[in-house]
Amino acid sequence: MVPGYSRLGFLARSAGWSRLPREALTGRTIAVTGSSGGLGEATVAGLVELGAAVEMLVRDRARGEAARDRVLAAHPDARITVAVCDLADLDDVRRYASDARDRLIALHGLVHNAGVLPEARTETAGGHELCLATHVLGPFLLTRELLPLLRAGSPPDRPGSPARVVFVSSGGMYTASLRTDDPEFREGKFSGGAAYARTKRMQVVLAELLADDLAGAGVAVHSMHPGWADTPGVAGSLPAFRRITGPLLRSVDQGADTAVWLQAAREPGQCSGVFWHDRVPRPTHYLPGGEEAPEARAGLWALCVDAVGPT
Ligand SMILES: NC(=O)c1ccc[n+]([C@@H]2O[C@H](COP(=O)([O-])OP(=O)(O)OC[C@H]3O[C@@H](n4cnc5c(N)ncnc54)[C@H](OP(=O)(O)O)[C@@H]3O)[C@@H](O)[C@H]2O)c1
C-alpha cells in the first residue's frame, strides 16, 4: 500500500490512463478551498486546463492572488475568481456563501481541499478545535450553504452530469477510527497527528453521509486521498518525513490528479459516496471489523448539524 502513495505508485498507475478531453470542463464553474498553494493551487491549474472557471477560496487574499497569478502565467485565458473564505470560521463560511449565491448562477463542483496539521491544540473564534473546524464543520456548512448553486449545476436533463463535491482526505485516515465521543479533542494529551487523522476519517464518512442526503438533489459526493505530495504543508508540518521520503514524494500535479479527475471523468458522475485514490475506488478500511457502527455515523451527522445550526 505505502509505495503506492509515492511518486512511483503514481507513475506505475498513470501509465495506463487515457487523457481527459481538453474541453472536459468547459462551461463548468468549480470552487476549490485552500487554494493559495500546494495541492489546492495545483487543483485549480488542473481544472482550468480542462476549461473550467474556478472560484479560489483562500483565507489570505494576497497569498490567493499570488497563486492565481502563477496559474494565469501558465493559462492566460483562465477564468479565475479569488474569494476570501476561512473554512475554520463558520461565520466567514456563511458570509462567503451568501456572496457566492448573489454572484453565481450555478456551481458544478466543490473541492474541499483546505487542510491543517497543527502542533498544539488550537481553538477557532467559534470555539472549535482547528482540525475539526477546517476539515469537517466548515466543509459541511459550505456544502449546505452552496446547495442552491450545486442544485443549479445539476440540471435534471443531464442525469449523468451531477454537480460533484470532493473531500480531499488523507491516507492517514486509515490510522483512525470514527470517534465522536471527544470530537473537540478536549480530553487527554493533544496530538496534531491524531486530530488530523481523526478528522480525515470523519471526512470520508461525511462524504458517504452527504452522498445519501444529497442523492435526491442530483449532487454526487466523493472523498479521495492524494498520496504523498511535496507541498508547503508537508515541508512545514512534517520536515523529517519530507527528508526521509525526499525524491519519492509526488509533485503537486500528481497529488492533485484524482481531485481534478473526479470533477471531469464520467465514472464519478455515475456513483456517489466513494473513496478514491489514483482514479480507482479504494476500501475505507483494511482491517476486518473496522466499519463504523450506525450510531457512530449518526453521531457524526448530529455533531455537524448541532455545530452549524439551522439552515
Ligand atoms: N501533501 C500531501 O502529501 C497530502 C497527503 C494527504 C492529504 N493531503 C491533504 O491535501 C490537502 C492539501 O494539502 P497540502 O499538502 O497542499 O497542504 P498545504 O501546502 O499546507 O496547503 C493547505 C492549503 O489550505 C489552506 N488553508 C488552511 N486552513 C485554511 C482555512 N481555515 N481556510 C482556508 N484555507 C485554509 C492553506 O492556506 P494558507 O496559504 O493561508 O496557509 C493552503 O492554501 C489537505 O487537506 C491535506 O490534508 C495532503
Side-chain angles (χ1 to χ4, degrees), residues 5 32-43 57-61 63-64 67 84-89 92-93 112-117 124 130 133-135 167-172 196 200 203 224-238 241 249-250 252 255:
Y5 292 5
V32 183
T33 71
S35 42
S36 54
L39 297 181
E41 179 183 334
T43 302
L57 273 56
V58 300
R59 61 179 167 179
D60 181 280
R61 180 169 288 283
R63 278 201 294 278
V84 172
C85 179
D86 182 341
L87 263 294
D89 177 343
D92 203 44
V93 171
H112 292 304
N113 167 79
V116 283
L117 204 172
T124 65
L130 187 63
T134 310
H135 299 155
F167 284 81
V168 179
S169 178
S170 164
Y196 177 86
K200 289 288 164 182
Q203 288 188 314
M224 53 77 67
H225 84 87
W228 297 330
D230 194 5
T231 63
V234 167
S237 303
L238 300 168
F241 171 77
L249 289 176
R250 297 175 175 211
V252 286

Side-chain angles (χ1 to χ4, degrees), residues 82-106:
V82 177
V84 172
C85 179
D86 182 341
L87 263 294
D89 177 343
L90 301 184
D91 290 339
D92 203 44
V93 171
R94 282 195 188 86
R95 179 204 52 77
Y96 163 74
S98 166
D99 166 64
R101 289 194 303 266
D102 288 345
R103 225 170 5 92
L104 300 174
I105 297 165

Side-chain angles (χ1 to χ4, degrees), residues 13 30 105 118 128 167-168 189 199 214 230 277 285 305 311:
R13 292 168 183 151
I30 298 172
I105 297 165
H128 297 292
F167 284 81
V168 179
K189 189 172 170 337
T199 50
L214 299 182
D230 194 5
H277 173 55
H285 297 273
V305 172
T311 309

